[in-house]
């Protein structure tokens, strides 16, 4: 069994001076990261944080995320990643559900943590990264030495359900132990350099983002996705691995002078959330010159459970059709494609719901036993809500979503959540939200609206109304008016 605490302890002993993490021009060795995380762990203990208590972070990517990840593991606390792209009211609801003992805020994200959130029951301390956080760290460098059990929850990451209401996914030490195994599967080792640009509140950030660190390699963290910066960092740090969604890959290829950049260190680019079309793949191979791997997973599976490996990425020839597949399950994952009504397995080539079973599958949803029971079955199967079919060779092809999901720039958007908000507008009689193709983001929400008799509302007014209540990326970018 491996925990995040055990990982940093191991590498601080075996390779103390090796680079562990770089962020905005500063590099920390494994020994330095071990020391800092012990100091933060001691500071959390002084605030009364106990094993099982929650510690929440609301910030764009920063080095302290890893420090707190290890610190929480060293005392058995649960790290909660808060999505800084959400609206303050959405964050308030998540904080009320998680009830953290300590909340840490980025200087630029303080406005997202409103007055109501600050009065959450059980909240003892709110800290801002920077001088306040630096002075808060304990001078005591002693590792608290907590040793967690495999079924202790390590991470609480919030995802949306079909209603759009936030659900906290409980990921245990056993779930996250597979991060190291995944890193090894992806060819990572002590000499690897991993570029992490995806947000750390996502499993694609804190899960994949920890993979190289677990095997003793060097992690380069970006504050947020910046295509030009990605190219610069790959060249400067000789990056070998990274994970990007296809829309970001496309943006990287459009950076001026990208063809002149030194990208020869790249070995593997992983992507997910959407397929990589043959046109984009051909261009990416020409420019980046590395191998490509598609990953399919979700927060509830602690990350990747299905991969389309590099040998199946042929933009030309008889195997091109495989680019429409998300790949095959990893050796430690069981999968079924099931008729949602009869619960029987579907024949090859026929669409059903993907069910997964693995030690990577979450413990359940925080404080939501009914949702947990509906998603996690007694025999260990996870109902994903994703519709797909299998071919004769075991390749999985996503067909649609049983959950009416819109994926925009790699973010999950649930129409019901937007519809619930727009139904509160006095001029709206009925509304339905659908996904529309978008040249940059893949999909974007469109609201189809029926107005009440003798009432008026403009497209911009309804978009502005939605933006007042929801994160902007969730809001419709277009409105179509119709009659009943």
């Amino acid at each position: 069994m491996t925990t995040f605490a055990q990982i940093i302890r191991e590498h601080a002993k075996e390779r103390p001076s090796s680079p562990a993490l770089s962020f905005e021009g500063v590099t920390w060795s494994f020994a330095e990261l071990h020391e800092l995380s012990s100091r933060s762990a001691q500071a959390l203990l002084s605030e009364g944080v106990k094993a099982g208590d929650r510690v929440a972070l609301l910030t764009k990517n920063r080095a302290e995320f890893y420090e707190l990840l290890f610190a929480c593991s060293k005392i058995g606390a649960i790290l909660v990643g808060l999505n800084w792209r959400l609206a303050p009211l959405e964050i308030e609801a998540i904080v009320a559900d998680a009830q953290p003992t300590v909340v840490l805020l980025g200087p630029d994200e303080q406005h997202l943590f409103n007055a109501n959130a600050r009065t959450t029951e059980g909240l003892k301390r709110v800290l801002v990264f920077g001088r306040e956080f630096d002075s808060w760290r304990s001078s005591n460098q002693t590792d608290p030495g907590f040793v967690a059990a495999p079924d202790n929850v390590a991470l609480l990451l919030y995802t949306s359900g079909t209603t759009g209401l936030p659900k906290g996914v409980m990921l245990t030490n056993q779930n996250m132990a597979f991060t190291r195994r995944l890193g090894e599967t992806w060819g990572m080792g002590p000499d690897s350099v991993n570029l992490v640009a995806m947000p750390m509140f996502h499993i694609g950030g804190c899960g994949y983002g920890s993979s190289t660190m677990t095997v003793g390699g060097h992690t380069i963290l970006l504050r947020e996705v910046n295509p030009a910066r990605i190219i610069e960092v790959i060249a400067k740090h000789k990056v070998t691995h990274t994970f990007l969604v296809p829309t970001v890959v496309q943006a990287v290829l459009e950076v001026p002078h990208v063809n002149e950049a030194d990208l020869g260190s790249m070995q593997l680019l992983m992507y997910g959330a959407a397929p990589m079309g043959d046109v984009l793949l051909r261009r990416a191979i020409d420019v980046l010159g590395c191998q490509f791997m598609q990953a399919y997973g979700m927060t509830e599976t602690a990350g990747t459970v299905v991969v389309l490996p590099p040998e199946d990425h042929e933009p030309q020839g008889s195997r091109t059709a495989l680019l429409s597949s998300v790949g095959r399950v990893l050796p430690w994952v069981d999968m079924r494609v099931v008729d949602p009504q009869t619960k029987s397995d579907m024949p090859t080539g026929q669409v059903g719901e993907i069910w997964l079973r693995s030690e990577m599958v979450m413990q359940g949803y925080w404080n939501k036993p009914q949702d947990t029971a509906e998603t996690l079955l007694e025999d260990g199967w996870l109902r994903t809500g994703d519709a797909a079919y299998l071919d004769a060779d075991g390749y999985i092809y996503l067909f649609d979503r049983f959950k009416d999901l819109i994926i925009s720039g790699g973010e999950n958007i649930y129409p019901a959540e937007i519809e619930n908000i727009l139904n509160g507008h006095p001029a709206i009689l009925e509304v339905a939200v659908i996904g529309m193709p978008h040249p940059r983001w893949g999909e974007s929400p469109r609201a189809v609206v029926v107005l009440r008799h003798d009432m008026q509302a403009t497209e911009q007014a309804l978009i502005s109304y939605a933006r007042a209540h929801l994160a902007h990326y969730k809001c419709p970018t277009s409105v179509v008016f119709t009659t009943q």
Side-chain angles (χ1 to χ4, degrees):
M1 216 292 289
T2 301
T3 67
F4 286 116
Q6 289 172 306
I7 286 166
I8 193 64
R9 290 164 182 156
E10 171 190 326
H11 292 315
K13 180 180 179 180
E14 295 182 355
R15 48 180 61 83
S17 60
S18 296
L21 175 66
S22 293
F23 179 70
E24 296 188 343
V26 180
T27 296
W28 293 264
S29 68
F30 281 102
E32 290 169 331
L33 195 53
H34 181 40
E35 176 190 322
L36 286 173
S37 60
S38 290
R39 291 175 59 190
S40 284
Q42 292 289 353
L44 289 171
L45 289 174
S46 71
E47 296 290 352
V49 178
K50 306 181 299 298
D53 287 351
R54 278 74 62 206
V55 175
L57 274 68
L58 178 58
T59 177
K60 290 186 178 181
N61 288 355
R62 57 188 306 127
E64 291 89 345
F65 204 109
Y66 286 100
E67 178 183 333
L68 269 299
L69 181 67
F70 294 126
C72 287
S73 185
K74 287 180 175 181
I75 62 174
I78 300 170
L79 186 68
V80 184
L82 299 175
N83 184 346
W84 49 264
R85 298 186 68 184
L86 298 179
L89 288 176
E90 295 172 295
I91 292 171
E92 177 191 332
I94 291 173
V95 172
D97 186 61
Q99 293 190 327
T101 304
V102 173
V103 173
L104 300 109
L105 306 174
D108 298 329
E109 288 75 49
Q110 295 181 69
H111 67 285
L112 297 172
F113 199 70
N114 64 25
N116 287 338
R118 291 175 184 271
T119 62
T120 299
E121 183 180 351
L123 180 57
K124 296 180 179 179
R125 188 72 182 267
V126 178
L127 289 158
V128 179
F129 286 114
R131 290 183 179 179
E132 183 181 8
F133 175 79
D134 293 342
S135 62
W136 171 81
R137 280 193 194 104
S138 174
S139 59
N140 185 350
Q141 303 175 16
T142 305
D143 182 345
F146 181 86
V147 178
D151 61 351
N152 289 161
V153 178
L155 288 172
L156 187 59
L157 302 181
Y158 277 79
T159 185
S160 294
T162 54
T163 62
L165 298 174
K167 293 188 292 189
V169 176
M170 295 185 287
L171 298 177
T172 67
N173 290 301
Q174 177 175 268
N175 297 151
M176 299 311 300
F178 281 86
T179 303
R180 172 176 278 186
R181 195 166 179 180
L182 286 168
E184 294 169 348
T185 299
W186 298 328
M188 295 175 176
D191 296 329
S192 298
V193 182
N194 189 25
L195 172 60
V196 179
M198 306 310 291
M200 293 292 286
F201 59 76
H202 271 177
I203 191 63
C206 65
Y208 172 82
S210 301
S211 55
T212 296
M213 196 173 288
T214 64
V215 295
H218 187 187
T219 299
I220 315 295
L221 181 66
L222 295 189
R223 179 166 168 78
E224 56 188 321
V225 171
N226 180 321
R229 180 73 177 137
I230 288 172
I231 291 294
E232 177 186 333
V233 168
I234 291 174
K236 178 180 179 181
H237 290 279
K238 305 302 179 185
V239 169
T240 60
H241 294 74
T242 193
F243 173 85
L244 303 171
V245 297
T247 53
V248 175
V249 174
Q250 183 172 346
V252 166
L253 298 180
E254 293 171 359
V255 172
H257 311 299
V258 65
N259 291 302
E260 301 168 16
D262 179 8
L263 308 177
S265 62
M266 280 293 298
Q267 297 174 14
L268 180 67
L269 189 152
M270 292 187 62
Y271 64 95
M276 181 88 72
D278 58 336
V279 174
L280 178 57
L281 178 63
R282 278 197 296 269
R283 188 179 172 201
I285 289 174
D286 289 341
V287 174
L288 300 177
C290 64
Q291 294 185 316
F292 288 78
M293 178 183 286
Q294 183 173 182
Y296 167 83
M298 57 193 65
T299 310
E300 287 88 343
T301 62
T304 302
V305 287
V306 175
V307 297
L308 186 71
E311 57 266 28
D312 289 332
H313 282 71
E314 296 184 8
Q316 302 180 68
S318 60
R319 291 168 57 83
T320 302
L322 286 177
L323 292 176
S324 300
S325 167
V326 293
R328 293 187 282 197
V329 292
L330 291 166
W332 53 86
V333 180
D334 297 324
M335 189 198 65
R336 298 170 60 193
V337 175
V338 177
D339 184 324
Q341 303 302 319
T342 67
K343 307 299 187 294
S344 60
D345 290 349
M346 298 298 293
T348 299
Q350 292 193 24
V351 176
E353 181 183 14
I354 297 176
W355 288 17
L356 298 166
R357 184 168 62 185
S358 170
E359 290 183 348
M360 291 182 69
V361 170
M362 67 172 180
Q363 189 177 91
Y365 294 116
W366 180 263
N367 288 335
K368 289 182 169 53
Q370 182 175 344
D371 287 330
T372 298
E374 292 172 355
T375 305
L376 279 180
L377 305 184
E378 291 183 359
D379 53 359
W381 289 100
L382 169 74
R383 301 188 60 174
T384 68
D386 289 341
Y389 66 89
L390 278 171
D391 71 9
D393 296 318
Y395 287 90
I396 306 160
Y397 294 79
L398 290 180
F399 180 78
D400 204 340
R401 302 273 174 165
F402 284 118
K403 303 170 184 176
D404 297 325
L405 185 65
I406 299 169
I407 301 179
S408 182
E411 295 283 2
N412 292 350
I413 301 172
Y414 292 88
E417 184 177 16
I418 308 171
E419 292 163 1
N420 289 340
I421 292 299
L422 289 177
N423 275 323
H425 192 285
I428 290 180
L429 177 63
E430 292 183 90
V431 59
V433 173
I434 58 176
M436 296 295 292
H438 190 281
R440 181 177 181 185
W441 303 117
E443 288 185 294
S444 181
R446 168 175 288 179
V448 181
V449 171
V450 177
L451 294 174
R452 296 184 184 277
H453 183 62
D454 294 333
M455 296 195 73
Q456 298 295 320
T458 65
E459 178 182 45
Q460 189 54 52
L462 296 182
I463 292 174
S464 298
Y465 179 83
R467 288 182 172 181
H469 295 82
L470 291 171
H472 284 201
Y473 76 87
K474 295 182 179 181
C475 297
T477 55
S478 61
V479 177
V480 172
F481 296 95
T482 187
T483 57
Q484 289 179 295

